[in-house]
Amino acid sequence: MIERIGQYTLSVSGACLASWASAVGKKESEGPLGSCFDKTFSDNTLGQDSWEKAEALLQKTAVETALGKCQLPPKGIDFILAGDLLNQCISSTFGLRSFGIPFLGQYGACSTMALTLGMASVLVGCGAARRAAAVTSSHFCSAERQFRLPLEYGGQRTPTAQWTATASGCVIVAKEGPVEVEHVTFGRIADLGICDAANMGAAMAPSAAQTLLDFFSDTHTSPLDYDAIFTGDLGAVGSSLCRELLEKENVTGLERYQDCGMLLFDREKQDVHAGGSGCGCSASVLCGYILPKLVSGEYHEVLFAATGALMSPTSSQQGESIPGICHLVHLKAV
Amino acid sequence: MIERIGQYTLSVSGACLASWASAVGKKESEGPLGSCFDKTFSDNTLGQDSWEKAEALLQKTAVETALGKCQLPPKGIDFILAGDLLNQCISSTFGLRSFGIPFLGQYGACSTMALTLGMASVLVGCGAARRAAAVTSSHFCSAERQFRLPLEYGGQRTPTAQWTATASGCVIVAKEGPVEVEHVTFGRIADLGICDAANMGAAMAPSAAQTLLDFFSDTHTSPLDYDAIFTGDLGAVGSSLCRELLEKENVTGLERYQDCGMLLFDREKQDVHAGGSGCGCSASVLCGYILPKLVSGEYHEVLFAATGALMSPTSSQQGESIPGICHLVHLKAV
């Protein structure tokens, strides 16, 4: 069942996370969470002849692995909700076309894991689906050549730049499972005028703070009511700005706040500047790190608030600022 | 309330179309449906300094007009579901960022109007939203330079090529209104191996036929149970292929079948080759032509099945075929 709570939040019942899986590339497997992931690939081409095809296969692998864990054929899934960073979301459409599952394309940039998971939870909670899959991916090489510069150019990166994760995560939402979805807050676009495409963290921070504030206000809770709060991929710059914005609104308990972009890589040793980013960053950290802790009992309640920068190279070239968005899912161990 | 019917179809109750609006460019205003649209712009730049900004404004105009018709402020809308053809869906994110409505980005290529309308209907039907807006747009000039060639190049178009509509349509879904949503069928990806990006109609036809067959099978109905059946933008080539595929499956009553891409322009006089296309084609035909006929009593029940080609220029350059998708909404006059 779905009920509206306050102005922006949905209370969800009857939607659980039945299984999940992550698939990552070489650098991610060498990071601090390297041992957490289900599938790791030492060759970032995944044996494909283009980065785009490699990313599509990464997403397909995450879905197949999640299905395998709950012993379901693709036919057991009523909807697959997916999206990614590539133009026209081709990792999703090409990676998932062979499954024959009704396909609901979603676009939330790096917030996609929370968008697809939130929508899948609503569809299962309201009875539109018995089971739904939520999946997203990103790939460092396909993202660099599309959004920034060809890898061969060897361009220097600014200190505020983040490293797009080569990673995918997939969650199967069903009526039963070890983790349940309590609430979903779909975010509003926030745009405070940041135009620097090498500083996505700053562009996304206001939307993260806004969605968290909306959620706390709607549910009459504070960070201390949760074991951990994760934003998607704000990185060093963005997560510190998000913390600052929340403190300005007198939010306490921010020692519970972490950012997936700060967890995936070792910033000292892995040369990722301000941290990890990309749809696959929060997706793989959710599936590889956060959800297992909810199962093990280390966490009981968690907020997962993935963040996205809703621009394109074209809009930035035209001098537009970068609109940010953040969708939130409140998860609880059963 | 939402209930599953058969394998792929959702039965929806409590979701109605409260108001809708269309905004189109010069060529569309000069076509056979020219007098049907709410807003027409004789200057396709809409006074903006780029085609992308013009498209964003077109989408904003459609939303403002639809809100105006039902006398609602943006705050009266719980979710806005939007997407478009531009990389990273920037017409939607930039066109809609100022409204402050929780934003659910959707990607369905030219099927987006049925995807957003279907999802909005589910959200209202299940109580997740009191009201939700569904909107999409396309612009000939922004689409040409992104997907094909710069306009200045003056490239020749093949006979199978379609003309991307400069158009937007927005529907407000609410508990009450003159048209109700009866069923939604979200489609599966169909890919029969068409690789010619100048023949999208052929690439999308199999998905249209598949979704229509799924819907007829799930609801135990046939085309004769509806006053009219519209596919999105298959154009001359695709709609004739779709008809052929349905006839092969012994579907009768196809004299009720039409295609929005064949309605928007005069193919003889307007030099659009195989017909209209783009997200805005089916969106503007729905809002300007189909829905008014449901209100006037000319139609009582209609199927709106928008079709999308889920490729990008990159995937086509890499030799990939074009996956198609088609989402269907069954509408009934109240």
Side-chain angles (χ1 to χ4, degrees):
Chain A
M1 221 180 67
I2 312 295
E3 258 184 296
R4 293 188 63 82
I5 290 193
Q7 205 172 347
Y8 298 110
T9 299
L10 301 177
S11 163
V12 177
S13 54
C16 294
L17 280 56
S19 80
W20 49 84
S22 52
V24 304
K26 186 166 185 288
K27 194 179 183 94
E28 294 69 20
S29 73
E30 292 165 353
L33 307 185
S35 64
C36 301
F37 304 115
D38 295 292
K39 303 271 173 183
T40 56
F41 294 91
S42 56
D43 168 11
N44 278 355
T45 70
L46 279 77
Q48 302 298 299
D49 56 13
S50 80
W51 305 121
E52 290 76 16
K53 288 181 185 177
E55 187 181 335
L57 183 55
L58 202 62
Q59 196 167 135
K60 192 180 180 194
T61 304
V63 175
E64 281 171 345
T65 310
L67 286 173
K69 282 189 186 182
C70 60
Q71 294 178 300
L72 275 175
K75 267 198 177 174
I77 305 297
D78 292 325
F79 299 113
I80 191 158
L81 296 105
D84 57 83
L85 292 173
L86 293 188
N87 295 340
Q88 287 73 53
C89 299
I90 51 168
S91 321
S92 303
T93 55
F94 286 94
L96 308 175
R97 65 179 157 176
S98 63
F99 287 118
I101 305 170
F103 177 84
L104 301 172
Q106 306 290 301
Y107 187 73
C110 301
S111 76
T112 302
M113 193 66 232
L115 175 61
T116 56
L117 179 57
M119 291 295 257
S121 306
V122 169
L123 290 173
V124 171
C126 79
R130 291 157 299 184
R131 296 178 210 93
V135 60
T136 186
S137 64
S138 54
H139 193 300
F140 176 75
C141 306
S142 63
E144 282 300 303
R145 86 159 154 198
Q146 179 182 284
F147 285 104
R148 282 165 283 261
L149 296 161
L151 291 181
E152 295 79 356
Y153 176 73
Q156 280 212 314
R157 302 164 65 80
T158 65
T160 56
Q162 294 172 243
W163 189 279
T164 306
T166 299
S168 176
C170 172
V171 175
I172 310 291
V173 181
K175 294 280 169 208
E176 294 183 353
V179 175
E180 58 185 359
V181 178
E182 290 283 295
H183 297 97
V184 176
T185 306
F186 292 116
R188 292 170 287 151
I189 295 174
D191 188 338
L192 264 61
I194 303 285
C195 292
D196 179 2
N199 193 357
M200 304 282 223
M204 297 188 287
S207 61
Q210 175 177 272
T211 298
L212 284 165
L213 289 168
D214 287 346
F215 173 80
F216 292 136
S217 157
D218 286 344
T219 54
H220 308 289
T221 60
S222 86
L224 292 171
D225 294 307
Y226 307 94
D227 301 296
I229 295 160
F230 296 89
T231 49
D233 55 347
L234 297 180
V237 180
S239 62
S240 129
L241 284 170
C242 178
R243 191 182 299 271
E244 207 175 295
L245 290 166
L246 291 171
E247 277 167 355
K248 264 192 192 164
E249 302 293 329
N250 303 313
V251 175
T252 53
L254 289 174
E255 60 277 13
R256 306 268 169 108
Y257 166 55
Q258 298 178 65
D259 180 70
C260 298
M262 299 288 278
L263 295 167
L264 186 60
F265 298 114
D266 182 329
R267 287 177 60 222
E268 297 288 312
K269 294 184 192 151
Q270 291 190 289
D271 192 28
V272 296
H273 297 230
S277 71
C279 302
C281 174
S282 62
S284 61
V285 173
L286 174 72
C287 296
Y289 180 79
I290 301 172
L291 293 175
K293 283 187 191 291
L294 278 161
V295 172
S296 73
E298 186 175 338
Y299 293 155
H300 191 61
E301 297 206 39
V302 160
L303 302 183
F304 175 69
T307 38
L310 301 172
M311 32 64 77
S312 82
T314 306
S315 67
S316 291
Q317 280 158 16
Q318 291 178 357
E320 287 276 12
S321 55
I322 302 173
I325 197 153
C326 172
H327 302 296
L328 177 151
V329 182
H330 170 198
L331 300 166
K332 191 175 173 179
V334 171
Chain B
M1 221 181 69
I2 312 294
E3 257 184 295
R4 293 187 64 81
I5 289 193
Q7 205 172 348
Y8 298 110
T9 299
L10 301 177
S11 163
V12 178
S13 54
C16 294
L17 279 57
S19 80
W20 49 83
S22 52
V24 304
K26 186 167 184 288
K27 194 179 184 93
E28 293 71 20
S29 74
E30 292 165 353
L33 307 185
S35 63
C36 301
F37 304 116
D38 295 293
K39 302 271 173 183
T40 57
F41 294 92
S42 56
D43 168 12
N44 279 355
T45 70
L46 279 75
Q48 303 296 299
D49 57 13
S50 78
W51 304 120
E52 290 76 15
K53 289 181 184 176
E55 187 181 334
L57 183 54
L58 202 63
Q59 197 167 134
K60 192 181 180 194
T61 304
V63 175
E64 281 171 345
T65 310
L67 285 173
K69 282 189 187 182
C70 59
Q71 294 177 302
L72 275 173
K75 266 198 176 175
I77 306 296
D78 292 324
F79 299 112
I80 192 159
L81 297 104
D84 57 82
L85 291 174
L86 293 188
N87 295 340
Q88 287 72 54
C89 299
I90 52 168
S91 322
S92 304
T93 55
F94 286 94
L96 308 175
R97 64 180 158 177
S98 63
F99 287 118
I101 304 170
F103 177 84
L104 302 172
Q106 306 290 301
Y107 187 73
C110 301
S111 75
T112 301
M113 193 66 232
L115 174 61
T116 55
L117 179 56
M119 292 295 258
S121 305
V122 169
L123 290 173
V124 171
C126 79
R130 291 156 300 184
R131 294 178 210 92
V135 60
T136 187
S137 64
S138 54
H139 194 300
F140 176 75
C141 306
S142 62
E144 282 301 302
R145 85 160 155 198
Q146 179 182 284
F147 285 104
R148 283 166 282 262
L149 296 161
L151 291 181
E152 295 80 356
Y153 177 73
Q156 279 212 314
R157 303 163 64 79
T158 65
T160 56
Q162 294 172 242
W163 189 278
T164 306
T166 300
S168 175
C170 172
V171 175
I172 310 291
V173 181
K175 294 279 169 208
E176 294 183 353
V179 175
E180 60 185 357
V181 179
E182 290 284 295
H183 296 98
V184 176
T185 305
F186 292 116
R188 294 170 285 151
I189 295 174
D191 188 337
L192 263 60
I194 302 284
C195 292
D196 179 2
N199 192 357
M200 304 283 222
M204 297 188 288
S207 60
Q210 176 178 273
T211 298
L212 284 165
L213 288 168
D214 287 346
F215 173 79
F216 292 135
S217 156
D218 287 345
T219 54
H220 307 290
T221 60
S222 85
L224 292 172
D225 294 306
Y226 307 94
D227 301 296
I229 295 161
F230 296 90
T231 49
D233 57 345
L234 297 180
V237 180
S239 63
S240 131
L241 284 171
C242 177
R243 191 182 300 269
E244 205 177 297
L245 289 166
L246 291 171
E247 277 167 356
K248 264 194 191 162
E249 301 294 328
N250 303 314
V251 174
T252 53
L254 290 174
E255 60 276 13
R256 307 268 168 108
Y257 166 56
Q258 298 178 65
D259 180 70
C260 298
M262 299 288 279
L263 295 168
L264 186 60
F265 298 113
D266 183 328
R267 288 176 60 219
E268 297 288 311
K269 294 184 193 151
Q270 290 191 290
D271 192 29
V272 295
H273 297 230
S277 70
C279 302
C281 174
S282 61
S284 61
V285 173
L286 174 71
C287 296
Y289 179 79
I290 302 173
L291 293 175
K293 284 187 192 289
L294 278 160
V295 172
S296 73
E298 186 174 338
Y299 294 156
H300 190 61
E301 297 205 41
V302 159
L303 302 183
F304 174 69
T307 39
L310 301 172
M311 33 63 77
S312 82
T314 306
S315 67
S316 291
Q317 279 158 16
Q318 292 178 357
E320 287 277 12
S321 56
I322 302 172
I325 197 154
C326 172
H327 302 296
L328 177 152
V329 183
H330 170 198
L331 300 166
K332 191 175 174 178
V334 170

